[in-house]
Amino acid sequence: MHAMQYELSLPADYDMGVIRSRVARIGHLLDDWEGLGFKTYLLRERGVNGSPVNQYAPFYLWNTVEGMNTFLWGGAFQGLSNDFGRPSVRQWTGLAYEEGGAAGSPARVAVRRRQSVPDGAELSEVMAGAVGETERLAGEDGSVFAAAAVDTSRWELVHFSLWAHETPKADGDVFEVLHVSAPGRERLPRGRQW
């Protein structure tokens, strides 16, 4: 499993209706994308849920590197780059994935928390803690799914969870979910990824 996200931070006075309309128009195009577990089309609005910015920031869980690369190099990502400029694309190696009790329900919000892996930390303990946090999040009421991944070039963990209600029991940046494409959800490996 591979996690991926890019962020388009937009001006404070940007009409976020443009992003909503874009997702309504093209969001379905990845509903059957080979190699994709989930794509969550995410939005943050300045002043809503504590957000300091207007931002479009889709988050992906990929079943295959081939599916991810086809998205990035095969033309789909080029449309976004043409319209907004090419954003930096963050990638993390999967650590854990768990479905919650609300799996299959429409998602309302997502929460993303990034944290540094401390220098000198015992890596096995940190990664086991990330797996445990994934299990805890997935066990909370209203959880659709939870995942954890690590970027070893920056030694950064990312915890990502999707919720069927607007009161998630997770800390981090809160995003409105505009659409979810989940063609390979059932093929995402459950539990610890090593």
Side-chain angles (χ1 to χ4, degrees):
M1 180 182 79
H2 303 277
M4 182 181 95
Q5 186 177 39
Y6 46 87
E7 300 171 330
L8 300 173
S9 292
L10 302 160
D13 62 349
Y14 190 83
D15 177 4
M16 297 306 280
V18 172
I19 300 298
R20 285 186 171 84
S21 294
R22 178 186 180 86
V23 171
R25 189 176 71 254
I26 66 170
H28 71 280
L29 296 177
L30 269 68
D31 286 352
D32 61 356
W33 195 273
E34 187 63 36
L36 177 64
F38 275 98
K39 176 180 181 179
T40 54
Y41 296 76
L42 305 178
L43 178 83
R44 290 199 303 166
E45 282 191 82
R46 188 171 185 245
V48 177
N49 289 321
S51 177
V53 297
N54 285 332
Q55 193 174 68
Y56 175 56
F59 191 93
Y60 302 74
L61 290 177
W62 294 96
N63 287 315
T64 68
V65 172
E66 293 83 3
M68 180 173 66
N69 287 344
T70 300
F71 173 79
L72 290 169
W73 322 137
F77 182 68
Q78 189 65 50
L80 177 110
S81 296
N82 291 346
D83 291 346
F84 295 99
R86 185 175 60 217
S88 175
V89 179
R90 299 289 312 275
Q91 296 182 30
W92 298 268
T93 301
L95 293 173
Y97 171 80
E98 295 289 350
E99 295 211 338
S105 299
R108 306 276 311 257
V109 299
V111 179
R112 180 204 61 205
R113 179 170 51 96
R114 295 186 299 216
Q115 70 182 84
S116 296
V117 175
D119 288 339
E122 185 69 34
L123 294 177
S124 60
E125 290 176 13
V126 172
M127 301 312 153
V131 172
E133 177 65 359
T134 301
E135 292 168 351
R136 183 193 73 76
L137 290 168
E140 294 288 351
D141 181 52
S143 175
V144 176
F145 76 78
V150 64
D151 174 348
T152 56
S153 71
R154 295 181 187 212
W155 288 108
E156 177 188 72
L157 289 172
V158 64
H159 297 273
F160 185 80
S161 51
L162 205 58
W163 302 84
H165 55 67
E166 293 182 358
T167 55
K169 292 192 175 157
D171 295 324
D173 297 321
V174 177
F175 297 85
E176 176 185 352
V177 177
L178 302 178
H179 181 74
V180 176
S181 294
R185 176 183 141 224
E186 70 284 347
R187 290 189 297 278
L188 283 169
R190 306 301 193 271
R192 192 175 94 161
Q193 307 284 313
W194 76 96

